[in-house]
Amino acid sequence: MTRHVIIGAGQAGLQIVESLRKEGFSGEIALIGDEASAPYQRPPLSKKYLLGQITAERLLFRAPEHYGRLGVELRLSTRVTAIDPAAHTVTLAEGSQLEWDRLALATGARVRKLGVPGAEDPRVHVLRGVEDAEALRQGLEQAARVVVIGGGFIGLEVAAIARKLGLEVKVVEAQSRVLPRVVAPLVSTFFHELHTGHGVRILLDQQVAALVPSADALTVQTQDGTVIPADLVVVGIGVLPNTELAEAAGLACDAGIVVDEFARTSHPHIVSAGDCTRHRNLLFAAPHRLESVQNAVDQAKVAASTMLDAPVPYAQVPWFWSDQYDVKLQMVGISTGHDSLVVRGVPGPDGFSVFYRSGDRVIAVDSINKPAEHMAARKLIAAGGQCDPERLADTSTDLKTLLQ
Amino acid sequence: MPKVTFIDLEGKSHQCDIANGLSVMEGAIAGGVPGILAICGGSCACSTCHAYVDDAWADKVGGPNEIEDATLDLANDRRTHSRLTCQITMQPEFEGLVIHVAKND
Ligand SMILES: Cc1cc2nc3c(=O)[nH]c(=O)nc-3n(C[C@H](O)[C@H](O)[C@H](O)COP(=O)(O)OP(=O)(O)OC[C@H]3O[C@@H](n4cnc5c(N)ncnc54)[C@H](O)[C@@H]3O)c2cc1C
Ligand code: FES
């Protein structure tokens, strides 16, 4: 019988399985993941879960019985250690081998380590998996002073939760603004003020040089000599795609497993999807790597279609969200390469949207507490993004009407 | 625990016990109701938990709030009693609730 094997039981891996079955594949499926938990959601790990509002059980994407119903062999706590592309096998950590007709790599990403002295101290936390989140949640219960290293989404979400828990929070960011790589400066300013307004202290342009342990503190030292004593340090400085297996198997990698618009790697029978890929999306000229639920799911659907020899190209508009305090940021598109901005509304508590334009096209939109504008923007970008900038900026024009 | 009946796209019904305080979506996932996908995990961002509240229950359950209303605009075949099941929180008065699963993909 035909057997398809998926490495990585995260959001992308699970979606590949679901799509294979939905499209009628009736052969064997093995979903292999090295984490102990059945596939679960990561976004709440830096939101509700960290706040203690939901249990780990509520993170699960599917009830355990679901895998039986789907007819998938779910192997947890099992690491794949090698792929033999010529023999069509994978080797599992305990030594056994599994044959495959089609193979999918959905290995995700892991956190980037802070390469400074003291970074191995047990008071240093990272956040990727549910075990990290549980350790961090418990750590926060004991802490009074928290230092977050990295002013990206995860760092800022953790900072917001730590403030909600009543802790003293400082954020140390190496660049000159928070969220430096992903949003326009005025959006960074909005989030900066949001956090300082909630009592967070943000230190910009500060490179961490060392973490100095003592009995009653772990002191963060920056390169300019600033010292910040902490009870707990959270490092959120980005992730690295898990490409080692693919590289060892001779698949093309370039800061991500390289795949085309059909999620095909450089091997015709191996696909890849999710955080681990540097991929082509027909809506964009250049390949990129994304870390988002949308990408994991939409690219997984493409990968499944390719595994079934009925390939459908990837041409979905990327979207993302982040929750901090009572603010919901929703993003759509990719702003890289924009040459002008249109701001709709006034940055502040009532919400606003920022439209990133390239020539006369809107290529990305960030909406802050403006869900209707976000949803209209998704449609606008999917339709090519052509739109009169004056009407975009005019809050008396209903965005929905711009789509007609 | 209140019981909810989900009617899937093929007309099959699925009975789920859903604890008060959980969302209707979470109950559907736990009960393996086909068609409720919930890829954003209840963050009101994806619309893949879309369903129709049975006519007899529509008043009691009520309509969407602003963000849900916006997200519903992305759903397939939105109708008068469309709701995102991740935004309906179970409460004792919902004993016997009937939900019709929409076409989610
Ligand atoms: C704290 C946090 C908050 C987030 N918040 C948001 C958000 O608000 N919105 C949003 O859109 N996205 C968010 N994301 C990103 C989103 O969760 C990821 O993009 C998504 O989970 C990617 O799915 P994936 O399947 O590609 O990778 P992963 O979820 O990383 O899954 C990959 C799996 O493969 C396993 N694996 C790797 N190598 C092997 C091997 N050799 N053998 C076996 N198993 C292996 C890994 O252990 C892992 O379980 C967040 C992520 C985190 C960590
Ligand atoms: S689960 Fe995504 S909107 Fe309900």
Side-chain angles (χ1 to χ4, degrees):
Chain A
M1 200 199 283
T2 311
R3 183 198 286 136
H4 293 344
V5 170
I6 295 108
I7 308 174
Q11 185 138 28
L14 171 61
Q15 184 62 49
I16 292 174
V17 171
E18 300 246 357
S19 295
L20 287 174
R21 286 294 184 233
K22 183 162 179 271
E23 300 307 323
F25 176 66
S26 58
E28 289 178 25
I29 301 179
L31 176 61
I32 306 169
D34 61 359
E35 291 187 79
S37 169
Y40 62 92
Q41 310 163 46
R42 297 188 194 280
L45 298 181
S46 51
K47 306 176 181 80
K48 278 184 181 172
Y49 182 82
L50 197 56
L51 200 54
Q53 284 179 342
I54 58 170
T55 56
E57 204 192 353
R58 289 177 71 183
L59 297 172
L60 296 178
F61 281 116
R62 298 288 177 249
E65 313 83 71
H66 181 72
Y67 297 93
R69 274 195 298 265
L70 268 181
V72 48
E73 184 187 350
L74 176 63
R75 300 176 76 145
L76 301 173
S77 304
T78 303
R79 198 168 168 74
V80 174
T81 52
I83 299 168
D84 186 333
H88 277 223
T89 58
V90 292
T91 305
L92 309 182
E94 89 276 5
S96 67
Q97 288 194 335
L98 206 57
E99 284 181 23
W100 46 266
D101 290 282
R102 294 284 194 280
L103 179 68
L105 291 167
T107 48
R110 63 177 179 279
V111 292
R112 189 190 291 274
K113 291 235 170 90
L114 184 67
V116 303
E120 304 300 325
D121 190 280
R123 287 165 285 191
V124 178
H125 290 256
V126 295
L127 186 48
R128 178 74 192 177
V130 63
E131 286 163 14
D132 300 330
E134 184 51 27
L136 175 56
R137 200 186 59 73
Q138 288 178 14
L140 291 173
E141 279 177 4
Q142 313 293 323
R145 299 162 299 175
V146 176
V147 173
V148 176
I149 300 177
F153 286 119
I154 290 186
L156 293 185
E157 289 186 351
V158 170
I161 298 294
R163 278 306 296 149
K164 277 198 188 169
L165 294 170
L167 311 181
E168 183 191 307
V169 181
K170 296 193 173 80
V171 174
V172 181
E173 166 57 49
Q175 308 281 316
S176 58
R177 57 191 177 95
V178 296
L179 303 174
R181 281 173 299 272
V182 280
V183 299
L186 89 150
V187 180
S188 293
T189 304
F190 172 82
F191 279 97
H192 190 114
E193 288 170 359
L194 175 71
H195 281 272
T196 51
H198 278 89
V200 174
R201 229 186 107 209
I202 300 178
L203 295 90
L204 299 173
D205 293 313
Q206 291 277 9
Q207 297 273 353
V208 173
L211 306 177
V212 184
S214 66
D216 61 352
L218 181 63
T219 300
V220 178
Q221 281 187 2
T222 67
Q223 282 179 0
D224 74 358
T226 307
V227 292
I228 319 157
D231 304 313
L232 183 150
V233 171
V234 187
V235 179
I237 54 171
V239 297
L240 298 170
N242 291 324
T243 57
E244 290 74 8
L245 262 186
E247 278 171 49
L251 303 179
C253 293
D254 169 20
I257 301 170
V258 174
V259 296
D260 65 9
E261 64 270 34
F262 298 107
R264 266 188 311 234
T265 66
S266 54
H267 185 289
H269 294 146
I270 305 179
V271 295
S272 183
D275 281 14
C276 61
T277 65
R278 171 163 299 278
H279 60 266
R280 281 277 296 139
N281 178 327
L282 292 186
L283 302 179
F284 303 92
H288 52 232
R289 200 173 68 74
L290 290 175
E291 295 145 25
S292 71
V293 165
Q294 173 279 325
N295 179 61
V297 171
D298 285 336
Q299 209 189 10
K301 292 179 183 172
V302 171
S305 75
T306 298
M307 292 170 91
L308 297 175
D309 293 324
V312 179
Y314 189 17
Q316 303 294 319
V317 179
W319 51 266
F320 182 82
W321 78 95
S322 173
D323 297 329
Q324 296 165 42
Y325 311 103
D326 297 328
V327 170
K328 192 174 202 74
L329 167 67
Q330 293 175 287
M331 308 172 79
V332 52
I334 293 184
S335 60
T336 314
H338 70 275
D339 50 33
S340 65
L341 293 177
V342 173
V343 182
R344 180 182 168 92
V346 183
D350 292 339
F352 64 104
S353 290
V354 178
F355 294 77
Y356 299 80
R357 300 173 76 236
S358 169
D360 60 354
R361 287 177 43 227
V362 174
I363 56 171
V365 182
D366 297 343
S367 300
I368 286 95
N369 286 345
K370 285 286 181 202
E373 293 185 1
H374 168 72
M375 297 304 162
R378 282 203 207 176
K379 292 183 181 169
L380 174 68
I381 292 176
Q386 226 90 18
C387 188
D388 173 2
E390 275 171 29
R391 295 180 67 203
L392 277 182
D394 176 5
T395 50
S396 66
T397 317
D398 183 351
L399 275 188
K400 281 192 208 168
T401 63
L402 296 182
L403 300 173
Q404 267 106 60
Chain B
M1 264 196 246
K3 269 202 177 27
V4 175
T5 301
F6 293 88
I7 300 175
D8 70 22
L9 285 172
E10 290 168 0
K12 245 174 81 183
S13 50
H14 306 259
Q15 290 240 328
C16 300
D17 298 318
I18 311 180
N20 292 315
L22 291 194
S23 71
V24 168
M25 175 277 279
E26 288 179 283
I29 293 290
V33 176
I36 298 289
L37 308 179
I39 66 162
C40 80
S43 293
C44 203
C46 72
S47 84
T48 64
C49 62
H50 177 209
Y52 310 109
V53 176
D54 191 76
D55 291 348
W57 282 90
D59 283 347
K60 201 168 223 173
V61 174
N65 67 9
E66 187 200 346
I67 172 158
E68 182 186 341
D69 183 45
T71 311
L72 270 168
D73 271 350
L74 297 174
N76 299 321
D77 194 14
R78 181 173 182 175
R79 300 180 200 161
T80 329
H81 297 155
S82 280
R83 287 291 311 264
L84 295 176
T85 50
C86 70
Q87 303 301 307
I88 307 173
T89 306
M90 274 318 281
Q91 39 197 285
E93 306 85 80
F94 292 176
E95 168 65 46
L97 177 64
V98 179
I99 298 280
H100 303 263
V101 178
K103 189 175 177 302
N104 295 309
D105 50 30

